[in-house]
Amino acid sequence: MRALEIQTPDGWLRGVAGDEVAHWRGVPFAAAPVGEFRWRAPQPVQPWQGFREADRFGPICAQPRSAGLGSGAQRRTPQSEDCLTLNITAPAEPSADSLPVMVFIHGGAFVNGAGSDPAYDGSQLVRRGQVVYVSLNYRLGALGWMHFDEYATAQRPIESNLGLRDQLAAMEWVQRNISLFGGDPNRVTVFGESAGAISITTLLSCPRAEGLFAGAIAQSSAPRVVPHLEQAHRWAREFLGYLVANPDDGDEVRALLEEVTPAELSLALSRLSAAGLRDEPSAIPVVPVVDGDLVPRLPVPAIADGEGIPVPLVIGTCDREGTLFSHFSPTHPSLKPTWKQMVTKAHSFVDQVGDPDDAEGDETPPATQLREIYPGYPKRGALADLAGDGAFWYPSVEVMEAHSCHAPTFAYRYDYAPRLMNMMGVNATHGGELLPVFGIYDNEIGRFMTALGGRGHYEGLTATMQDQWLHFAHHQRPMDDWPPYRLEDRCTMIFDRDPRVESDPRSDRRLAWQAVTGHLPTAD
């Protein structure tokens, strides 16, 4: 049995034994971001004396209470600004050799979620694939992703991209310490879903992240949501308008930032987001930004120009990303994108391209071509698919194209949905692949989804997807039946009842989106 008492440079940890695995939970990777460290980049861990009991998860980042897959904040879940901890799961029996490490970044629209959520229990991956699994917390909502750095002074430093800096600090901790838990710091795979995947495609364009991971897996990223700092500053001023009389008064703003409570920040973010639904439906005010420092450029063009980190990458989306939001739109206004927002964005996007009145020849105008690709537009199902493809699928295709020119890239699409989800019209939607990746079809959500059948298919898909993810962690490539994505064939693994490889799936949609985006102005 592995020794549960481990001495780190910061102090002793005492873990807990589980079913064939050992856990160390609530391990701090940075100082508490409170007091003078609030609104600051994560600071070094403050060492402790004696043993730190690592048998329970630390508090999650302050966030709205909600429910659902990966929601993080259940009714009794402790919350705190002192949330910068990570969790480690390793085989109970130590290996003679160092094991690959899988670091998971949770999703939740950058406003909710936690590495401790039961949906992200990595025990199955550890037992099945002999890896060391790490999950982490990072600052959420305004505390992590609202950018107040223009109010900084020499006496009161304030940094941007705090949530992204938290993720980097956690991975730097892994590099320094994971060998103590049997992990190999040279074989770290970072993977994440939704906001976690957006973080990963952003980190690929972040020079400071180089050397922190040997491979990456991005599940349902939306890489185009990252704005420039000027836009983020405008959102910050609008946000502050709900909290102070004069957002241009630096002294008043700095005093507020010292004292404002997480609940007050959450309420202001809700009001800002609600206003965005009316006035700026494509705006997502809590996201990573191009700050010219940590993130020098927009991720997609940076990767395309060879300025990304050239590690092997697995990237993909679910079959119908948008139906989750059309059927189960979150009630909290800051949990974007909501269905109303996605619909408005889809309409405005198509209208922005327009159909030229003087189109010549037989060429179909781009906006018309895009509408025709989604039969029934603008009915609900077609809009869900157009909005989901525009937010998640096509931008991920752009990353596939860009990254494959510089490093091994492997594309997938997740198509499986049990009978109940198909009857509801949700199908294989956003977050659906989390069930087989983590093998959580036995939890409350999994039992609900398989109420009318499908458990056997989930068991098969769990074995398939976990084996692929684990093989990638061990070898920085999937198994041999999954060819790399190249522009000449665009091979894509389709995860369904019977997994298969297709060449350039949905090429008609890809070409339609390519034509539309080619008619829009771009800025970097």
Side-chain angles (χ1 to χ4, degrees):
M1 173 68 69
R2 175 189 297 278
L4 297 178
E5 296 178 349
I6 292 179
Q7 185 177 21
T8 75
D10 304 312
W12 281 90
L13 293 169
R14 182 182 285 125
V16 60
D19 181 16
E20 301 179 56
V21 297
H23 303 280
W24 295 265
R25 294 169 171 153
V27 180
F29 63 83
V34 298
E36 64 177 320
F37 296 154
R38 200 186 210 193
W39 313 114
R40 296 293 312 279
Q43 304 297 306
V45 174
Q46 298 174 356
W48 59 88
Q49 299 295 319
F51 281 94
R52 183 184 181 100
E53 299 298 333
D55 59 345
R56 64 187 63 186
F57 297 112
I60 67 174
C61 182
Q63 60 190 267
R65 300 283 181 181
S66 57
L69 183 64
S71 62
Q74 305 302 318
R75 189 162 60 91
R76 293 186 175 89
T77 306
Q79 298 189 17
S80 173
E81 289 189 59
D82 182 5
C83 62
L84 298 185
T85 60
L86 52 76
N87 316 293
I88 304 156
T89 302
E93 294 296 334
S95 170
D97 301 316
S98 296
L99 299 178
V101 182
M102 300 184 74
V103 177
F104 183 72
I105 303 177
H106 69 79
F110 296 106
V111 297
N112 73 343
S116 56
D117 192 285
Y120 310 135
D121 182 358
S123 298
Q124 275 204 33
L125 291 168
V126 172
R127 286 194 292 265
R128 186 179 186 90
Q130 287 294 293
V131 296
V132 176
Y133 172 77
V134 179
S135 63
L136 59 98
N137 291 343
Y138 54 91
R139 279 172 280 184
L140 299 170
L143 289 165
W145 305 98
M146 191 62 68
H147 306 277
F148 301 119
D149 53 292
E150 66 176 339
Y151 297 98
T153 65
Q155 294 73 32
R156 185 51 172 107
I158 299 173
E159 283 96 10
S160 63
N161 278 319
L162 296 178
L164 200 67
R165 293 178 191 273
D166 294 343
Q167 296 166 8
L168 286 163
M171 287 187 281
E172 289 166 350
W173 188 97
V174 167
Q175 286 295 310
R176 295 191 303 268
N177 295 285
I178 204 63
S179 60
L180 301 173
F181 302 85
D184 184 350
N186 295 313
R187 288 192 293 167
V188 173
T189 295
V190 60
F191 69 125
E193 187 267 344
S194 194
I198 296 169
S199 299
I200 288 168
T201 51
T202 304
L203 288 169
L204 286 173
S205 67
C206 175
R208 181 178 150 189
E210 189 157 13
L212 297 182
F213 49 88
I217 303 174
Q219 302 170 205
S220 297
S221 180
R224 288 285 187 182
V225 301
V226 177
H228 286 285
L229 190 57
E230 295 79 7
Q231 173 70 69
H233 284 165
R234 183 170 67 80
W235 286 329
R237 288 190 293 272
E238 292 177 8
F239 174 87
L240 290 167
Y242 296 108
L243 295 167
V244 296
N246 182 9
D248 294 323
D249 186 334
D251 290 336
E252 184 181 7
V253 168
R254 284 185 290 274
L256 168 88
L257 294 178
E258 298 288 340
E259 300 174 358
V260 65
T261 67
E264 290 169 330
L265 291 170
S266 180
L267 179 60
L269 182 56
S270 296
R271 296 175 69 183
L272 176 67
S273 300
L277 294 179
R278 298 188 305 268
D279 306 329
E280 198 173 7
S282 63
I284 303 178
V286 281
V287 287
V289 301
V290 177
D291 58 9
D293 174 25
L294 190 69
V295 183
R297 296 182 59 194
L298 293 171
V300 175
I303 294 169
D305 290 345
E307 298 175 15
I309 300 174
V311 297
L313 171 67
V314 168
I315 182 168
T317 56
C318 296
D319 176 31
R320 303 190 69 195
E321 290 278 351
T323 56
L324 174 72
F325 308 101
S326 68
H327 286 73
F328 304 109
S329 184
T331 56
H332 194 283
S334 64
L335 303 186
K336 294 190 173 186
T338 64
W339 169 241
K340 177 182 176 182
Q341 187 179 31
M342 293 182 73
V343 168
T344 308
K345 181 176 181 179
H347 279 304
S348 62
F349 181 84
V350 175
D351 291 342
Q352 183 180 0
V353 180
D355 287 333
D357 296 330
D358 56 352
E360 298 179 359
D362 297 328
E363 183 176 353
T364 304
T368 298
Q369 183 182 3
L370 189 63
R371 294 186 189 102
E372 291 176 349
I373 289 298
Y374 297 90
Y377 177 91
K379 292 183 179 178
R380 187 183 187 90
L383 269 173
D385 289 335
L386 188 148
D389 283 0
F392 298 100
W393 174 71
Y394 185 69
S396 292
V397 169
E398 292 182 299
V399 174
M400 295 171 197
E401 295 173 343
H403 198 74
S404 67
C405 295
H406 306 285
T409 303
F410 303 87
Y412 76 88
R413 192 180 75 218
Y414 180 76
D415 278 17
Y416 178 69
R419 182 183 179 193
L420 177 62
M421 304 305 286
N422 289 328
M423 289 177 62
M424 294 172 62
V426 177
N427 308 110
T429 192
H430 188 73
E433 87 290 355
L434 288 169
L435 274 78
V437 167
F438 285 100
I440 54 173
Y441 47 81
D442 269 336
N443 74 0
E444 182 179 355
I445 291 178
R447 290 193 295 271
F448 166 76
M449 292 174 66
T450 57
L452 298 182
R455 180 185 172 88
H457 297 303
Y458 268 132
E459 291 176 346
L461 267 175
T462 293
T464 298
M465 294 190 74
Q466 287 189 353
D467 285 348
Q468 292 285 9
W469 265 229
L470 290 163
H471 196 279
F472 184 85
H474 277 266
H475 306 287
Q476 284 72 61
R477 58 178 175 80
M479 299 171 73
D480 291 341
D481 59 347
W482 186 348
Y485 186 94
R486 299 188 178 95
L487 295 182
E488 57 266 29
D489 51 29
R490 301 176 184 268
C491 288
T492 302
M493 174 65 75
I494 310 297
F495 289 110
D496 205 344
R497 293 184 182 184
D498 298 305
R500 63 193 184 277
V501 174
E502 292 187 7
S503 178
D504 199 8
R506 295 178 177 165
S507 59
D508 54 347
R509 292 193 189 184
R510 177 180 63 80
L511 292 171
W513 280 102
Q514 182 177 302
V516 164
T517 55
H519 283 71
L520 293 175
T522 59
D524 186 14

